[in-house]
Every structure is written in C-alpha cells, then in structure tokens.
Amino acid sequence: MLLQDKVWLISLVLITAIAAVFLWVAAGAARQADAETVQRRAYRLRTGWFWLLVAIIVIASATTLTALPYPDRVSAPASRVVLRATGAQWAWTVEGSDIVVGRPVEFQVTSTDVNHGFGIYDRSLAMIAQTQAMPGYINRLQLTFAKPGTYHILCLEYCGLAHHEMMTDLVVKPN
Ligand SMILES: [Cu+2]
C-alpha cells in the first residue's frame, strides 16, 4: 500500500471517529444534567490525559533523542573524501576526488550568489540527502554511498529564472 493511501486511510478513520463524537454529543444535547458533576468529571479526565501526554513525551524523548539520524561533525572520519559543491545561478560545480561506495564523503556546500538547495537524488529520483547552499557560509553534509552509479544533484530552492536547469550528475564508483 502506498504511503499516500495509508495516510488517507488513517485520516478517514480519524474523521469518522470525530464525526461519531460530534453525533454522540448532538444526540445527548437535550438531556439535562447537574453542571457541577459534569464539570468535575471533565476536569478529572483532562488531568488524566495531561499526565498521560507528559509520560509519553518524556519516554519518547528519552528513547529517541540519543539516536539522531545524522553524524555530528566531531566524529567525522579522518578518511573521508571532501568535495566542494558550489551553487551559482544556474549551475552546480562539484570539485574533489572520486566518490567510492562505502567510503564516507563530506560535501562542503556553499553558494556564490543567492540561496540554493543542494539535493542529492538516486537513479529513481528518490532524495537521499540535502542541505542549504548559502553565500558566505559552508554547510557540511556527510554521507556514505551504499550503491555505485550515477546520482543527480538538483536545486531545491527557487533561485531565479533558470532554477530548473540547476542539475548535475554525480558518479559513485564501485569499491
Ligand atoms: Cu534553484
């Protein structure tokens, strides 16, 4: 099942649940009840939900924040290949040595004019990494290619008339 279909299905279930709650409230609207009792019950429910939410946030943060999906700069392997990627209206220049499968690469990404988006795509045009290309600043993007072949670099940020022309190929050699 496509991700899109899954999201659509989840949305549909949630919409149905919300609609059911609305109908349930509407059906009971005419019923009289003691306001204080209802209020106390609602407050108790709210307090319960609040602490449940706090517990979920604390547990989720504690278990996931340690495993950030990108490496920190300090732990960059010394054997990495450094490539300099420069964006300019409207082309990419990538300089450096060859990229080999399994060998860590660091792209030092910058721009000579305006902001560009540096996006690396595989053959099926699925994005595998991206960062901003900013004038006067170098963004470091660390990546280890798992498969050889031709990858594509596309600009991800509208940067003028020929933004769509800002494409170049990146060849990753087998090990
Ligand atoms: Cu662009």
Side-chain angles (χ1 to χ4, degrees):
M1 192 190 261
L2 284 173
L3 182 65
Q4 210 171 319
D5 293 337
K6 276 183 204 160
V7 171
W8 168 234
L9 204 67
I10 292 167
S11 304
L12 212 60
V13 169
L14 291 177
I15 289 167
T16 311
I18 291 169
V21 169
F22 268 89
L23 287 175
W24 177 69
V25 169
R31 219 171 40 231
Q32 294 281 332
D34 179 31
E36 223 167 282
T37 318
V38 173
Q39 192 184 46
R40 214 174 309 124
R41 216 167 47 198
Y43 281 0
R44 215 179 312 135
L45 194 68
R46 191 176 67 175
T47 309
W49 275 111
F50 173 75
W51 288 113
L52 179 70
L53 217 59
V54 167
I56 289 173
I57 290 170
V58 167
I59 292 168
S61 301
T63 51
T64 58
L65 278 184
T66 49
L68 290 176
Y70 43 85
D72 59 88
R73 202 181 296 177
V74 184
S75 68
S79 65
R80 73 190 188 279
V81 175
V82 176
L83 285 100
R84 182 140 182 133
T86 309
Q89 286 166 319
W90 288 279
W92 291 107
T93 317
V94 183
E95 298 159 304
S97 35
D98 291 346
I99 304 173
V100 180
V101 166
R103 183 130 174 242
V105 177
E106 180 179 289
F107 290 95
Q108 297 182 348
V109 183
T110 188
S111 163
T112 58
D113 40 38
V114 298
N115 264 33
H116 298 279
F118 179 82
I120 303 177
Y121 291 77
D122 68 8
R123 200 176 318 171
S124 60
L125 286 183
M127 189 199 284
I128 57 167
Q130 64 93 18
T131 190
Q132 282 275 305
M134 298 146 76
Y137 191 83
I138 293 172
N139 271 315
R140 288 159 209 275
L141 179 65
Q142 287 167 12
L143 190 64
T144 304
F145 288 89
K147 286 181 191 159
T150 304
Y151 291 76
H152 309 288
I153 296 170
L154 271 69
C155 183
L156 295 177
E157 188 164 325
Y158 183 71
C159 56
L161 276 182
H163 157 70
H164 59 282
E165 298 278 353
M166 259 183 99
M167 290 180 280
T168 192
D169 286 350
L170 197 68
V171 176
V172 176
K173 295 185 170 174
N175 204 334

